[in-house]
Amino acid sequence: MTTGQKVPARERLLAAAEEVFFDRGIRATGVDEVLSAANVSAASLYSHFGSKDGLVAEALRVRLAEWQSVWDECAVRAASDLDRLLSVFDALAAFRARQPAARWCAFLSTATELPDAGDEIAAVLAADTALLTDRLRHFAKPLAGGRAADLADDVVLAYNGTLAAYLRGYPSDPIAAGRRVAAAAAAAY
Amino acid sequence: MTTGQKVPARERLLAAAEEVFFDRGIRATGVDEVLSAANVSAASLYSHFGSKDGLVAEALRVRLAEWQSVWDECAVRAASDLDRLLSVFDALAAFRARQPAARWCAFLSTATELPDAGDEIAAVLAADTALLTDRLRHFAKPLAGGRAADLADDVVLAYNGTLAAYLRGYPSDPIAAGRRVAAAAAAAY
DNA sequence: TTCAAACCAGAACGATCGTTACAGTCAAAC
DNA sequence: GTTTGACTGTAACGATCGTTCTGGTTTGAA
């Protein structure tokens, strides 16, 4: 079943951190829970990441890279300009399938839980937003021309709404509703 | 300037709680900060509310009542069926004008910060969502008829997106973008 | 065999947290 | 004048937190 080669402590830590921090909350989860979930000693955590915040920051960076690659695949598979614009919702569906227990969005929930987060963490959150806006503006170009930035704003807003819908528990099918709203917005251009 | 009559400790506590909890975060703010902001002793807090969570719950109840009354005023002022449906965005603008420092939505941020919140707190969050869906379904009736529930879902999603936009810092004018997206969704019915 | 690196378990640290206890002050009601 | 209730400031409690320290085990290369 398993490959047999031992997974390094660093990777076990990152996997455990993604699970417990983003499912159960960063502040709600003590370092000890991460350590026992990863079967790792405290010394390993602090030698690899320096602090709890350091681990959070690295876990966010990993997550952003994975999210970007999932979105990549979905975008190239799009059959039309509109599908490409809306591929962010397909990517979200694919991304969430890996971790159904996730509360909602790791980046936005971190922004809520750590309002005074250091520069390292804030930079990842900013990178997520930058990725989102840059791509959507690019994808919106053939559909809205000079008003591509406005259309991208609309899609980001619908995407935000989909994420927050998981937190609120309503609407019950966040991705379907988000995609429908984004499509309606695009139709207005 | 002031009326001269002393404000009871209970009200001072609620005012301070709304300020510090919803601006700076619940978990990030210790009880001591609330006490000194309200100029109140610890014994008063615990005799009035029993616990920090009890204070949070009551502050949320107050906030929900105020939000509902602000929305009331905006809804009756609406000049058309569409305006009435979109009045939730006017209400949000009016509500936020009172407390510009607020991070984003007190209910959704509480859901993020306190994933294991007790029944008392969870009930207020559920009541917020119930208020939102019930009203929007009612307002959507003359516009979408039998599909009023679907249109209400779309508006809730756009509303969610507007709130999360404050957290993300994008789009830069969350209310304008949310209203525009919700209007586009309504036009599809 | 020796050495260095990676990792472990476990105890302990200082700080902060929510909460309680104690003793005293003040104003209004009887 | 006394009593009552609301409130105060301060100190302390136990728990939990992030972090560090100590000492030992394993592993692979020199």
Side-chain angles (χ1 to χ4, degrees):
Chain A
M1 226 24 187
T2 58
T3 61
Q5 37 187 2
K6 200 163 65 178
V7 178
R10 188 189 143 90
E11 295 179 32
R12 272 180 290 152
L13 268 171
L14 284 172
E18 182 168 18
E19 265 194 33
V20 302
F21 282 154
F22 303 148
D23 289 359
R24 281 178 256 159
I26 298 173
R27 291 194 106 116
T29 306
V31 169
D32 289 353
E33 283 188 56
V34 186
L35 296 179
S36 60
N39 263 73
V40 152
S41 73
S44 296
L45 192 160
Y46 288 94
S47 84
H48 278 300
F49 301 102
S51 66
K52 180 184 182 182
D53 275 16
L55 175 57
V56 170
E58 186 61 22
L60 286 173
R61 277 190 287 265
V62 169
R63 202 176 174 86
L64 179 57
E66 292 174 352
W67 159 245
Q68 179 164 359
S69 89
V70 168
W71 192 4
D72 273 337
E73 292 183 23
C74 291
V76 299
R77 211 179 292 132
S80 69
D81 287 338
L82 180 60
D83 271 357
R84 189 173 306 110
L85 182 69
L86 301 182
S87 68
V88 65
F89 294 100
D90 305 330
L92 184 59
F95 193 75
R96 283 192 63 92
R98 315 168 329 148
Q99 203 180 7
R103 184 160 298 277
W104 58 307
C105 168
F107 305 107
L108 294 181
S109 87
T110 301
T112 303
E113 291 199 77
L114 308 177
D116 302 318
D119 298 343
E120 205 184 359
I121 288 181
V124 191
L125 309 186
D128 175 56
T129 296
L131 171 68
L132 210 54
T133 59
D134 291 349
R135 282 210 174 168
L136 288 178
R137 282 179 183 175
H138 183 240
F139 293 162
K141 210 60 177 275
L143 290 159
R147 292 197 295 156
D150 289 339
L151 177 53
D153 283 7
D154 293 353
V155 179
V156 171
L157 190 119
Y159 176 73
N160 284 345
T162 300
L163 296 175
Y166 285 107
L167 183 61
R168 188 189 287 282
Y170 190 95
S172 54
D173 190 343
I175 291 183
R179 190 185 243 278
R180 187 173 61 231
V181 167
Y189 286 82
Chain B
M1 234 8 195
T2 59
T3 59
Q5 40 188 359
K6 200 165 63 178
V7 178
R10 188 188 143 90
E11 295 180 31
R12 270 180 290 154
L13 268 171
L14 284 173
E18 183 169 17
E19 266 194 34
V20 301
F21 283 154
F22 302 149
D23 289 0
R24 280 178 256 161
I26 297 173
R27 290 193 106 116
T29 306
V31 171
D32 289 352
E33 283 188 54
V34 186
L35 295 179
S36 61
N39 263 79
V40 152
S41 73
S44 296
L45 191 162
Y46 288 95
S47 83
H48 277 301
F49 300 104
S51 67
K52 180 184 180 180
D53 275 16
L55 174 59
V56 170
E58 185 62 23
L60 285 173
R61 277 190 288 265
V62 168
R63 203 177 173 85
L64 179 57
E66 291 175 351
W67 159 245
Q68 179 163 359
S69 90
V70 167
W71 193 2
D72 274 337
E73 292 182 23
C74 291
V76 300
R77 212 178 293 133
S80 69
D81 288 337
L82 181 61
D83 271 358
R84 190 174 304 110
L85 182 69
L86 301 181
S87 67
V88 65
F89 294 101
D90 304 330
L92 183 59
F95 193 75
R96 283 191 62 91
R98 316 169 326 149
Q99 203 179 8
R103 185 162 298 278
W104 58 308
C105 168
F107 306 107
L108 293 180
S109 89
T110 301
T112 302
E113 291 198 77
L114 307 177
D116 303 318
D119 298 343
E120 204 185 1
I121 288 179
V124 190
L125 309 186
D128 176 55
T129 296
L131 170 68
L132 210 54
T133 61
D134 291 350
R135 282 210 174 168
L136 288 178
R137 283 178 184 175
H138 183 239
F139 292 163
K141 211 60 176 274
L143 290 160
R147 293 197 296 156
D150 289 338
L151 176 53
D153 282 8
D154 293 352
V155 179
V156 170
L157 190 119
Y159 176 72
N160 284 345
T162 299
L163 296 175
Y166 284 107
L167 182 60
R168 188 190 285 282
Y170 190 93
S172 55
D173 190 343
I175 291 183
R179 188 184 245 276
R180 186 174 62 230
V181 168
Y189 287 80

